Amino acid sequence: MGYPSIFATGVLQYDKDKTWNGYTIYPSAKGALLIDMNGNEVNLWAGLGGFPNKILPGGYVLGTTGVRESKKAYQDQLDLVQVDWDGNIVWKFDHTEYIEDEGQEPKWQARQHHDFQREGNTVGYYYPGGEPKVDSGNTILLVHENVTNPAISDKELIDDKIIEVDWEGNILWSWKASDHFDEFDFDEAAKNTLARNPGLHGEAGGDWLHVNCVSVLGPNKWYDAGDERFHPDNLIFDSRNANILAIISKATGEIVWQIGPDFSKTKELRALGWIIGQHHFHMIPKGLPGEGNLLVFDNGGEGGYGTPNPSSVTGNNNAHRDYSRVLEFDPITLEIKWQYTPMEAGFLLFTDASKFYSSYISSAQRLPNGNTLITEGSDGRLIEVTPEHEIVWEYINPYFRGIGGKFTMNGIYRAYRVPYEWIPQLPKPEEVSIAPINVETFRVPGASKGAGTGKVTTVEGVDPNASNITGMGRADKKEDKQEDKRLDFCVLSVNKSDLESK
C-alpha cells in the first residue's frame, strides 16, 4: 500500500448522533494526550509516557516517567505513576527490582511493560459500574524478570511476570510465565525453534512470549452458569510472539483456558482462523453489548514458533498474514459474533486487504452503545465503527516520532474513550459533526480546482459512463453488484483454503 507524503491529520469525519461521545486519551510523541470528539486537545501531560496511558475518574492519568536505558533492557519502564489534572504525582510504584546497570546509579525500577489495571475496573476502559479507584486499591502490573530455564532455552530469557501491588507498593501476588512452560502446548518443532532463538534482543535476552496485555475477567455469565474457568478473579492475557491467548487461575496459577499456538487442531479453531501477533485480548465487561465474549485485535503480520517455511527459514515468526482483523468471539464455542476485517472495511479485492492492517501495537474497545473504538496503531489511526461496520468517527494522530533523522512514525499503542463525567475540570464540549470530504474533488490551496472541473470530451461510440478499467464496471449496475458478491466469495474461499491447508 502506497502512502502520500502529505495527508490530513486530526478528526477526518464525525457523526455526533451515531457515536458514543466522550474524551479519548492516547500516548503521543508529545506525552499523554486527551482530545474531545472534534479533535481539540484539552490536556497534554507533556512527556508522560504511556504503555499505555489510562484515564481515571476525576481527571487522573496513569503513565510512566521514563524508560530504562541499557543494552540489558527491552521495553522496561522505570515506574508506573498516577498524576492529577495538573501533573502532580499522587501515586508511584517502582519497586519490582533493584537494577544495577553498568555505568548507571543502581535504583529500584518497575520494569512495567504493555499493561496494568487498577482495582475497581477489570479492563481499563469505561463500563457501567466499573470505576477504578483513585486514592486506594490494588494495581495489577505486567513486568519483566530475567531468568534462565534450560527447559526452554540455554539463552537468558526476558520473562513475563504479572504482579499485584497494594497502594503502598507491597507485592501481594505474582505469576511468572516460564514456570508454566509445559502448559503452553508447544509442539516439538516450536520447542526446537524456541531453544535456538527465543526471540533474542541482543544482551537483553530472549523475549520468548512477549505478553502484551493482562486484565481481570470480572463478573460474567460463564461463571454464573458454573464454569470455574471464568472465575471473576482470573486473569486473561495473550502472547504476541507465540500466538497464544489464555486465562490464568488466580487461585492456582494454572492455565485453565487457552487457544493457540496451533489454530488447525480442531474444526472450531479452523473456523475462527489463525490469530497472529495479536494485541489487547480481553473479555467484554458485564454491562456492555457483547458482555462475556472475547475481544481481540488480531494484527496479522508475523508470529509463532514452529517448522521453517518459505516465510520463515528459521522457524521464528513462522505464521504470516498481511492484514488485520478485530474479532469478538464466544469463549466456549469459539464462534465469531462480530468482526471487522478488510471485507467489512469495504476492500473487496484480496490485493487490497492490507488497507486495514497494523502488524504491531493496536487495540479494540467496546463502547456502551455497541460501537467499537479501534486503534489501528501502526498508522496512528483511530476509528469508531458501528455494529454494521459504518465508520462514524475517524482520527489520525498528528504527532510523529523521529526515526533515522526523519519524522516518519505517528503510531498509537492503544487509545481509550471515557465519559465526559470523568473529567470534572472541563465543561462538556460542543459536539459538531464533520462530514467526510470528497477525496475526488478535494485539493490543497493553490492546486487544481478538482476532479470534473475541466473540459470533457465524448468519444464516438463509447459510453461516457463506462469504466475504462478492465473488470471494474459501474457499481450501480445489477451485474456488477453480482460481481461484487463473487469477489467477496473469492476472498473468503482463499482464507478458508489457506487455513485448511495449514
Side-chain angles (χ1 to χ4, degrees), residues 36 122 206 221 253 328 348 370 449 454 484:
D36 66 18
T122 61
K221 60 185 179 182
E328 176 194 341
L348 298 179
K449 295 179 180 179
D484 286 346

Short mmCIF file of all heavy atoms in Angstrom, two decimals, residues 36 122 206 221 253 328 348 370 449 454 484:
data_model
loop_
_atom_site.label_atom_id
_atom_site.label_comp_id
_atom_site.label_asym_id
_atom_site.label_seq_id
_atom_site.Cartn_x
_atom_site.Cartn_y
_atom_site.Cartn_z
N ASP A 36 -11.07 15.84 22.58
CA ASP A 36 -12.53 15.69 22.52
C ASP A 36 -12.91 15.11 21.16
O ASP A 36 -12.04 14.79 20.33
CB ASP A 36 -13.25 17.00 22.83
CG ASP A 36 -13.03 18.10 21.79
OD1 ASP A 36 -12.60 17.79 20.65
OD2 ASP A 36 -13.30 19.27 22.10
N THR A 122 -12.04 -3.81 35.51
CA THR A 122 -11.36 -5.03 35.07
C THR A 122 -10.47 -4.84 33.85
O THR A 122 -9.47 -5.54 33.70
CB THR A 122 -12.40 -6.12 34.75
OG1 THR A 122 -13.26 -5.68 33.70
CG2 THR A 122 -13.24 -6.45 35.98
N GLY A 206 16.10 -13.18 25.58
CA GLY A 206 15.07 -13.68 24.70
C GLY A 206 13.67 -13.33 25.17
O GLY A 206 13.21 -13.82 26.21
N LYS A 221 -21.22 -14.14 32.67
CA LYS A 221 -22.29 -15.13 32.59
C LYS A 221 -21.77 -16.56 32.58
O LYS A 221 -22.47 -17.49 32.99
CB LYS A 221 -23.14 -14.88 31.35
CG LYS A 221 -22.38 -14.96 30.03
CD LYS A 221 -23.29 -14.57 28.86
CE LYS A 221 -22.55 -14.61 27.54
NZ LYS A 221 -23.41 -14.20 26.41
N GLY A 253 -2.69 -20.41 39.70
CA GLY A 253 -1.66 -20.04 38.74
C GLY A 253 -1.68 -20.87 37.47
O GLY A 253 -0.94 -20.59 36.53
N GLU A 328 -14.61 -10.54 17.79
CA GLU A 328 -15.38 -10.79 19.00
C GLU A 328 -15.92 -12.20 18.89
O GLU A 328 -16.62 -12.52 17.93
CB GLU A 328 -16.53 -9.79 19.14
CG GLU A 328 -17.43 -10.07 20.34
CD GLU A 328 -18.75 -9.31 20.29
OE1 GLU A 328 -18.83 -8.31 19.54
OE2 GLU A 328 -19.69 -9.70 21.00
N LEU A 348 -12.85 -5.06 -1.29
CA LEU A 348 -13.40 -6.31 -1.82
C LEU A 348 -12.32 -7.23 -2.41
O LEU A 348 -12.46 -8.44 -2.37
CB LEU A 348 -14.44 -5.99 -2.90
CG LEU A 348 -15.66 -5.18 -2.42
CD1 LEU A 348 -16.59 -4.90 -3.58
CD2 LEU A 348 -16.39 -5.93 -1.31
N GLY A 370 -22.70 -0.04 21.75
CA GLY A 370 -22.47 -1.16 20.84
C GLY A 370 -21.42 -0.90 19.79
O GLY A 370 -21.00 -1.84 19.09
N LYS A 449 -8.49 22.86 -9.44
CA LYS A 449 -9.82 23.07 -8.87
C LYS A 449 -10.50 21.77 -8.45
O LYS A 449 -11.48 21.80 -7.72
CB LYS A 449 -10.70 23.81 -9.89
CG LYS A 449 -10.22 25.23 -10.20
CD LYS A 449 -11.13 25.89 -11.22
CE LYS A 449 -10.64 27.30 -11.54
NZ LYS A 449 -11.51 27.95 -12.56
N GLY A 454 -12.78 20.31 -15.48
CA GLY A 454 -12.17 20.66 -16.77
C GLY A 454 -13.06 20.27 -17.94
O GLY A 454 -14.19 19.82 -17.77
N ASP A 484 -19.50 -8.05 -7.35
CA ASP A 484 -19.01 -7.75 -6.01
C ASP A 484 -19.15 -8.95 -5.10
O ASP A 484 -18.28 -9.27 -4.32
CB ASP A 484 -19.78 -6.55 -5.41
CG ASP A 484 -19.37 -5.23 -6.04
OD1 ASP A 484 -18.35 -5.23 -6.73
OD2 ASP A 484 -20.08 -4.24 -5.83
#
